[in-house]
Amino acid sequence: MEKDQNISPEGQNEGIKETETREQVQEGQEVSVEKKEEIKEITPEEKIKELEDKVVRTFAEMENQRRRFEKEKDDAFDYGGFSFAKEALNLIDNLERSKQILESDEVLKDTEALKKTLEHFEIISKDMISIFLKNGITPVISIGKKFDPNQHQAMMEIDDDQKEPGTIIQEIQKGFMMKDRLLRPALVGVSKKTKIQDDQKSEENEENLDN
């Protein structure tokens, strides 16, 4: 009690000032938060605009997803048997190899048995091609065509001055398409000019440059 009575007026004033200062700081902080909230607050129109944008983006994303699903469904329907068809081409290759082996056999050559066997092979081969055609699998046209890296694979170059360079003059293995997709490329031999003609062209070009 005595200590409280001994407090000077100056000390009381300092305590009052400290209390007032704390209240002012506290009030200042509250005002600052209120201003920040006023700045962050958006109008109803802006809120509606924001929601509209979100709805538009959501619908756009749903539409893109629907289109992806449609494409995947169409691809599965159109190309679902792609791997099976590619493997089935081995049957045609084996038939062709068997024909070539029999045709080159000296014992069977020019015999009636060979003739009938090759006829049966030809019937089987045509039936298989017919089944492929019904399912959208078509052979790649090669002989006499210009080399196309999207359909052909060059295995060799053959000297031929009668054809334009890059013309397919030999088909080693037939290629096939499945609708608009390459099932396998045709293995081919393409023409090129002979070295003599290349040398002559080089000499002519040099003469033209000199002149």
Side-chain angles (χ1 to χ4, degrees):
M1 295 292 295
E2 292 179 358
K3 289 181 179 179
D4 294 338
Q5 291 175 357
N6 293 330
I7 296 174
S8 64
E10 293 179 359
Q12 290 178 353
N13 291 335
E14 289 179 359
I16 293 171
K17 287 181 180 180
E18 289 178 0
T19 303
E20 291 177 350
T21 302
R22 284 198 297 269
E23 289 177 354
Q24 288 174 357
V25 171
Q26 186 175 1
E27 289 176 0
Q29 290 174 345
E30 290 175 356
V31 170
S32 175
V33 171
E34 288 175 1
K35 286 182 178 179
K36 289 180 180 178
E37 288 178 352
E38 288 177 1
I39 293 171
K40 289 181 180 179
E41 188 178 356
I42 60 175
T43 64
E45 290 79 7
E46 290 173 335
K47 187 66 176 176
I48 292 172
K49 179 64 176 175
E50 181 182 344
L51 293 174
E52 286 178 348
D53 290 341
K54 288 182 179 179
V55 171
V56 169
R57 286 197 298 269
T58 300
F59 273 109
E61 188 174 334
M62 290 173 62
E63 180 63 17
N64 290 336
Q65 193 172 22
R66 184 191 68 79
R67 288 176 180 174
R68 285 196 298 269
F69 287 156
E70 287 291 329
K71 186 178 185 306
E72 289 174 1
K73 184 189 72 174
D74 293 341
D75 286 348
F77 181 79
D78 292 337
Y79 305 105
F82 190 89
S83 296
F84 174 77
K86 194 171 183 179
E87 293 293 329
L89 295 178
N90 292 328
L91 298 175
I92 293 180
D93 296 338
N94 291 334
L95 278 175
E96 190 61 33
R97 292 191 193 100
S98 298
K99 285 170 60 177
Q100 292 174 1
I101 291 171
L102 291 174
E103 287 171 343
S104 61
D105 192 310
E106 294 296 332
V107 177
L108 296 174
K109 190 174 289 186
D110 298 328
T111 63
E112 192 65 23
L114 175 60
K115 183 180 177 182
K116 289 184 178 180
T117 301
L118 293 178
E119 287 176 356
H120 286 300
F121 275 22
E122 190 64 26
I123 291 171
I124 294 171
S125 181
K126 286 181 178 179
D127 285 345
M128 291 187 66
I129 294 292
S130 176
I131 293 171
F132 284 159
L133 290 174
K134 289 177 183 177
N135 288 274
I137 301 170
T138 55
V140 173
I141 306 301
S142 299
I143 300 296
K145 298 291 184 180
K146 200 73 174 174
F147 177 79
D148 181 358
N150 296 316
Q151 293 185 333
H152 308 119
Q153 182 176 340
M155 303 301 291
M156 65 180 73
E157 288 185 312
I158 304 169
D159 291 338
D160 191 333
D161 297 330
Q162 305 301 316
K163 304 285 186 182
E164 285 295 321
T167 302
I168 298 172
I169 57 178
Q170 183 179 350
E171 185 178 64
I172 302 166
Q173 185 182 75
K174 189 174 289 294
F176 286 87
M177 299 286 295
M178 187 171 186
K179 296 185 179 179
D180 60 346
R181 192 174 291 182
L182 183 66
L183 193 58
R184 80 172 184 194
L187 306 183
V188 298
V190 297
S191 64
K192 69 169 185 174
K193 294 297 183 183
T194 60
K195 191 174 186 306
I196 296 174
Q197 287 216 352
D198 289 340
D199 293 341
Q200 288 177 349
K201 281 190 175 182
S202 297
E203 290 176 1
E204 290 175 0
N205 291 333
E206 289 177 3
E207 289 176 0
N208 292 333
L209 290 172
D210 293 338
N211 294 333

